[in-house]
Amino acid sequence: MNQVVTKTLPNGLTVILAERRAAPVASFWLWYRVGSRNETPGLTGLSHWVEHMLFKGTKTHPQGDFDRMIQREGGQFNGMTWVDWTTFYATLPADRIGLALAIEADRMQNALFDPDEVESERTVIISEREGNENRPGYMLREQVQAASFLCHPYGHMVIGWKDDLRRITRDDLYAHYRAYYTPNNAVAVAVGDFRAEAMAARIEEAFGSIPPGPEPPPVRAVEPQPRAERRVTLHGPGGANYLLIAFQSLSAHDPDFFPLAVLTAVLDGARGLPPFGGSGLGRAARLHRALVNTGLALSVNASVAATLDPYLFALSATVRPEQDRAEVEQRILEELVRLQEEPVREDELARAIKGTRAMFAYGSESISNQAMWLGFAEMVADLDWLASYQDRLAAVTPEAIQRVARRLFQPENRVIGWYVAS
Amino acid sequence: MLPSSQTIVTGELSNGLRVWVYENFESQTVLVDGYAFGGSINEGPEEKGLANFLAIMLRRGTETRDYDALNEAAESVGAFFGFDAGRHSLGFNAHSLAEDFDLALELMAESLIAPAFPEDELEKTRSRLLTRLEERRHSTRAMASIAFNQQIYPPDHPYRMDIEAEMAGVRRVQRTDLVRFYREKVSPAGGVVVVVGAVRAEETIARLERALGGWRHPHAHPDTSIPPRPILRQTVTKRVRVQGKSQSDIVLGWPGIARNDPDYDAVLVCNAILGRFGLGGRLGNRIREEMGLAYYAYSAFNANRGPGTWRIAAGVNPANVEKAVDAMLAEVARIVREPVDDEELADVQSYLTGSLPLRLETNSGIAGYLLSMAWHGLGMDYLLGYESRIRGVTKEDVLRVARTYLHPDRYALAVAGPPDEEE
């Protein structure tokens, strides 16, 4: 990617720009530093719901207008909410990118939160949640995540608890919107076929006059040092048993994050920028060999995510109902002990580094991805973290991986969850 | 610039596999994507699931490299390769950095030319497939979709899905079945392979000849017939009970069109108006935005060598199934009753044509189009004519295809979810 330009507007909006002239398209992303991490008990799911409401119209554009405006220009348009952030994006023919700027500037200030629209979206989100509940994997994840955090808001799913979704009011949503969706709490990213100077001027024109909001309230909860291994077991209908082992993990800015990323690749194959870099490698990695090649599990995965606060490092497996569950669990945990006791081999390190390079190359064909990576990095760390990502992975030593394995993989640091098919 | 006969380089390998190569030096990667004749329509009544079983087993070891060695080789360079069974095709693909193209191609070709079908991998695959099928029986989405398929396609139709028959078929598969099906029912002759990425075209064709030219199944006689269009004479409804679920999934629809049907473009436009544009077209607007009934509500059609289906889908609370079905039927009644608005039509035409550059942004996006163009005989200049064909669809065309394929009083409906409360 060409040079990345950053600047901050007087109202606090951070702007990140990268020219990419290969195709006549441009991608614009607006990121807010708000997600389920910023929610309190009784109000879980607020951020995701606010994201939905920002598609429901403003004073000048009624519900549905934004989607039509973007799509009739051939654009892609969507929003996502996760634990640390919320983002809205549009990718368009480059000469129409101004539309995305105008929409984002409009809904940063003027979203209506019409009470009727709030009610109709309440049932839509409950339906989204019920669709998730139909999947055993979701049900297990929700329980394991809740058991993993005694007080940190990472303990609830982004979509929120169902009873909260039934009770949250229009005013709760509007207050959340006013508190967090401000220029000083946002990052604008544009990548594509434009001149950076001209794009900076257009962004300033669209967003410069929006007044800053008050400093958003900090997240006060700090998850205490785990003291006890926890177990959760769900029973329900299903065609297989599902295992999820979650360890308290490391934040993106922890220096041990990079050894952890390599460790994940050794266990389950290289990936791009976690958790959004794509995956699919891993059949030559340790977990697949130990569990799938031996027939102990149908599939097995490791997942690591770059987050602001320590989140979860998770290992999951799908297991035949006839298979002895303890044996599967044991075999996975043995692989973790092996990481603590033996240095990983050079060829495994090399595979992790080369695989990561390939995954970044596959992903970088899309300018939407490039813009996403920039904004995501700024949310959970900074641009240098992204720029140096592959080099820092390449610098990871076998000793560092061992150290991180010892630091993380302690019994009191984990929750072992099973969904048992009845 | 759109890929066209000016920029696509073609050739034919000595085994009859047709080649399309598109150079893209903006990327650092290369993608190979191809179809041989084969696929599930070649399965006998006792062989359901065999084509898929075969595709998995092709990736499980060759005469010179076992599964581990194949994985080790591919992943040492971050490359992928694999196989998948379609209804008419055996798909094969490889994806790598350009610098590792030769290796990825070699692994894919070796697996196609000299598969070992090892017995131990066969048993593991059988066990995995049976559990995956069992998982599908607990998925409301999968079960609604299968039940819908069974309402559309009669028992002897090659597109009919049948989870019980597939389980029985998977239990029965022996190594000799795989070998026989592969040699007799899969044929590279007449198949297509597309390569897109940072490689020179002429050189690539020579490399493909070296790697794949020797892949020959001289005794193969795959079924290349086009399955008939099923007829739906009356409304049929099926409810599948799936215990312990929060949501019911609904699929409602009709027999659709084949990929090279002259109505394809009009159906594409009509479907986008009905259930795609914006947040799910008219259906999304009504069922999601206005009624708040569902997180997802859309329509879609699939068009293969033979006629696919055209269907509406939504996931709703079990108490709202009837309301959602009524809303679906009301939108169908409207689109067959009155012409669409000029503005709606113009919006959808802009959307379908304007989004083409974004859909062609990546090598996999380009390869997807090229493979479909080559396989269905749409021609190398298909994309050049795309805009004018879509712009040429009129309100009358939309009304005509709506009236031809969509019927508010004659449809197949499948619902999978928890038992009703009164049951």
Side-chain angles (χ1 to χ4, degrees):
Chain A
M1 200 177 326
N2 296 353
Q3 202 181 346
V4 175
V5 177
T6 59
K7 64 181 288 186
T8 306
L9 303 189
N11 62 8
L13 179 71
T14 302
V15 179
I16 299 173
L17 305 169
E19 296 179 6
R20 194 177 188 273
R21 318 299 282 265
V25 292
S27 190
F28 181 74
W29 293 61
L30 193 62
W31 296 74
Y32 293 99
R33 298 182 190 279
V34 61
S36 59
R37 177 176 173 271
N38 303 88
E39 294 163 0
T40 51
L43 296 171
T44 65
L46 267 185
S47 310
H48 172 251
W49 194 339
V50 167
E51 178 225 304
H52 277 228
M53 293 313 296
L54 293 196
F55 288 87
K56 299 293 258 179
T58 63
K59 289 167 200 154
T60 43
H61 292 290
Q63 184 272 113
D65 245 22
F66 290 152
D67 292 273
R68 284 191 284 271
M69 286 160 70
I70 295 284
Q71 289 193 7
R72 82 164 59 102
E73 303 298 341
Q76 291 169 352
F77 185 57
N78 215 336
M80 288 189 277
T81 307
W82 207 46
V83 294
D84 296 330
W85 44 259
T86 300
T87 184
F88 300 88
Y89 77 92
T91 303
L92 283 154
D95 58 347
R96 304 303 297 159
I97 196 68
L99 200 53
L101 274 56
I103 288 172
E104 296 311 340
D106 184 19
R107 64 182 170 183
M108 186 186 275
Q109 316 165 74
N110 302 319
L112 287 177
F113 289 75
D114 174 274
D116 289 342
E117 296 285 1
V118 168
E119 286 317 306
S120 111
E121 209 55 23
R122 182 192 308 278
T123 47
V124 166
I125 291 172
I126 289 174
S127 169
E128 182 178 0
R129 199 193 137 88
E130 290 178 342
N132 293 344
E133 290 171 5
N134 273 19
R135 293 183 290 113
Y138 173 88
M139 298 301 275
L140 177 60
R141 175 82 198 193
E142 184 166 75
Q143 293 300 316
V144 168
Q145 207 160 314
S148 295
F149 296 97
L150 297 176
C151 73
H152 193 282
Y154 282 165
H156 65 269
M157 301 293 265
V158 169
I159 201 164
W161 294 106
K162 204 184 230 170
D163 283 311
D164 292 353
L165 297 177
R166 292 193 178 111
R167 293 194 187 109
I168 282 169
T169 66
R170 187 262 174 198
D171 290 349
D172 294 329
L173 291 161
Y174 198 71
H176 196 67
Y177 171 56
R178 282 299 175 211
Y180 291 99
Y181 298 71
T182 57
N184 43 309
N185 198 39
V187 175
V189 183
V191 176
D193 187 11
F194 52 70
R195 286 198 312 109
E197 274 167 50
M199 180 55 73
R202 293 178 79 172
I203 290 174
E204 178 139 23
E205 193 188 329
F207 292 88
S209 64
I210 303 174
E215 185 68 18
V219 174
R220 304 280 289 270
V222 176
E223 184 62 20
Q225 175 77 29
R227 302 265 177 230
E229 179 183 23
R230 279 158 256 178
R231 273 188 178 268
V232 297
T233 307
L234 279 91
H235 296 271
N241 293 332
Y242 304 91
L243 169 64
L244 180 63
I245 305 179
F247 288 87
Q248 293 279 325
S249 185
L250 306 169
S251 70
H253 54 258
D254 191 309
D256 276 348
F257 182 82
F258 295 96
L260 179 62
V262 177
L263 178 156
T264 309
V266 169
L267 281 177
D268 187 36
R271 55 214 63 208
L273 201 60
F276 298 105
S279 62
L281 296 173
R283 294 206 256 195
R286 291 186 179 188
L287 287 177
H288 191 88
R289 289 183 175 199
L291 286 120
V292 180
N293 288 8
T294 55
L296 284 176
L298 280 86
S299 64
V300 60
N301 294 96
S303 79
V304 63
T307 49
L308 282 172
D309 296 328
Y311 187 56
L312 296 176
F313 175 86
L315 301 155
S316 57
T318 304
V319 178
R320 281 177 299 115
E322 315 81 73
Q323 173 64 49
D324 177 20
R325 297 198 298 278
E327 192 185 349
V328 174
E329 208 179 292
Q330 191 52 39
R331 193 66 195 82
I332 291 182
L333 296 176
E334 276 168 23
E335 284 302 325
L336 305 183
V337 171
R338 197 176 143 207
L339 286 166
Q340 294 171 327
E341 292 180 350
E342 299 166 18
V344 302
R345 298 190 315 268
E346 285 300 328
D347 64 305
E348 291 179 291
L349 280 184
R351 191 161 66 212
I353 305 311
K354 175 76 188 253
T356 305
R357 177 153 81 82
M359 295 305 284
F360 269 86
Y362 303 138
S364 70
E365 286 170 22
S366 143
I367 62 153
S368 304
N369 274 348
Q370 294 192 13
M372 179 174 75
W373 292 345
L374 288 168
F376 170 67
E378 183 68 10
M379 284 296 110
V380 300
D382 51 54
L383 294 180
D384 179 59
W385 181 86
L386 176 65
S388 63
Y389 190 85
Q390 293 191 54
D391 289 341
R392 291 173 76 172
L393 287 198
V396 168
T397 61
E399 296 70 38
I401 293 172
Q402 254 178 304
R403 186 185 68 240
V404 172
R406 288 178 187 144
R407 181 176 163 193
L408 249 59
F409 302 141
Q410 299 300 330
E412 65 274 17
N413 203 32
R414 74 193 178 206
V415 176
I416 299 183
W418 277 101
Y419 183 104
V420 179
S422 50
Chain B
M1 200 172 63
L2 294 168
S4 70
S5 53
Q6 299 299 305
T7 46
I8 299 168
V9 177
T10 62
E12 186 170 325
L13 305 188
S14 58
N15 61 354
L17 201 54
R18 294 176 291 135
V19 182
W20 288 22
V21 185
Y22 183 74
E23 297 179 354
N24 176 13
F25 285 95
E26 296 294 345
S27 78
Q28 308 160 48
T29 72
V30 190
L31 184 70
V32 182
D33 212 349
Y35 287 151
F37 278 97
S40 61
I41 72 158
N42 293 284
E43 294 166 350
E46 308 281 287
E47 295 178 335
K48 295 289 176 205
L50 183 55
N52 180 44
F53 208 129
L54 169 71
I56 295 169
M57 286 301 294
L58 283 171
R59 182 65 180 72
R60 288 291 186 280
T62 70
E63 286 165 10
T64 49
R65 277 185 258 226
D66 65 9
Y67 180 52
D68 261 353
L70 288 173
N71 292 335
E72 188 73 46
E75 300 210 345
S76 67
V77 297
F80 296 88
F81 73 100
F83 310 95
D84 59 273
R87 281 168 166 167
H88 298 268
S89 60
L90 174 80
F92 48 93
N93 62 76
H95 200 182
S96 69
L97 290 170
E99 69 207 43
D100 304 310
F101 173 53
D102 278 333
L103 175 62
L105 181 61
E106 176 190 321
L107 295 171
M108 184 191 84
E110 184 179 313
S111 301
L112 285 169
I113 293 170
F117 303 130
E119 291 282 0
D120 57 333
E121 293 293 339
L122 190 152
E123 291 311 321
K124 275 184 270 177
T125 298
R126 188 197 315 280
S127 159
R128 192 158 43 239
L129 280 171
L130 289 173
T131 310
R132 290 296 185 208
L133 287 165
E134 202 56 62
E135 286 186 286
R136 297 189 76 189
R137 286 217 272 219
H138 290 274
S139 156
T140 49
R141 273 210 196 193
M143 290 314 285
S145 155
I146 291 168
F148 169 72
N149 167 284
Q150 295 184 339
Q151 312 272 57
I152 296 286
Y153 296 109
D156 56 350
H157 196 283
Y159 288 177
R160 184 180 170 96
M161 295 158 79
D162 185 337
I163 212 162
E164 305 300 327
E166 194 169 336
M167 289 185 106
V170 166
R171 282 199 191 91
R172 237 176 250 128
V173 171
Q174 299 300 317
R175 186 176 181 282
T176 50
D177 300 319
L178 295 171
V179 173
R180 177 184 43 78
F181 189 87
Y182 191 44
R183 297 292 163 206
E184 294 178 6
K185 302 295 183 185
V186 175
S187 173
V192 292
V193 57
V194 166
V195 182
V196 178
V199 284
R200 296 269 165 230
E202 292 305 333
E203 200 182 309
T204 299
I205 294 174
R207 281 165 158 182
L208 288 173
E209 175 61 38
R210 282 196 298 275
L212 284 171
W215 178 32
R216 290 161 197 269
H217 293 177
H219 304 295
H221 47 88
D223 184 349
T224 54
S225 67
I226 306 293
R229 187 155 192 279
I231 296 162
L232 189 66
R233 297 186 194 282
Q234 57 186 24
T235 295
V236 280
T237 301
K238 187 167 179 186
R239 282 170 199 274
V240 184
R241 290 187 191 86
V242 186
Q243 295 289 344
K245 301 296 178 185
S246 300
Q247 186 163 81
S248 293
D249 284 284
I250 305 170
V251 182
L252 182 155
W254 307 266
I257 57 167
R259 181 61 186 85
N260 49 22
D261 193 299
D263 281 341
Y264 184 88
D265 295 317
V267 168
L268 188 67
V269 170
C270 180
N271 180 64
I273 293 170
L274 177 64
R276 195 169 150 201
F277 182 71
L279 219 57
R282 289 179 175 187
L283 290 162
N285 204 42
R286 180 87 187 110
I287 295 171
R288 173 173 167 153
E289 296 303 295
E290 288 173 27
M291 299 172 80
L293 287 180
Y295 174 62
Y296 82 89
Y298 67 89
S299 66
F301 67 101
N302 58 330
N304 208 316
R305 282 167 62 86
T309 59
W310 194 350
R311 63 205 176 274
I312 297 168
V316 302
N317 186 280
N320 292 330
V321 168
E322 212 166 312
K323 231 189 275 181
V325 170
D326 287 348
M328 290 174 182
L329 292 172
E331 286 305 333
V332 174
R334 188 175 143 216
I335 208 162
V336 302
R337 189 174 60 235
E338 53 198 57
V340 297
D341 297 340
D342 292 321
E343 196 192 343
E344 257 181 321
L345 177 63
D347 277 356
V348 160
Q349 288 169 326
S350 303
Y351 158 60
L352 290 172
T353 57
S355 56
L356 196 57
L358 285 182
R359 284 181 270 147
L360 296 170
E361 201 189 2
T362 61
N363 285 343
S364 64
I366 297 168
Y369 271 97
L370 264 49
L371 186 58
S372 173
M373 285 151 58
W375 179 247
H376 292 292
L378 307 175
M380 280 187 281
D381 290 327
Y382 173 82
L383 293 171
L384 294 184
Y386 179 80
E387 173 153 8
S388 66
R389 282 195 311 277
I390 296 298
R391 298 264 180 216
V393 172
T394 64
K395 283 160 70 169
E396 292 70 33
D397 294 330
V398 173
L399 190 62
R400 180 179 54 76
V401 295
R403 286 178 176 170
T404 306
Y405 301 103
L406 311 176
H407 306 283
D409 50 3
R410 193 173 83 234
Y411 53 85
L413 168 65
V415 181
D420 291 347
E421 276 170 29
E422 57 266 32
E423 281 181 275

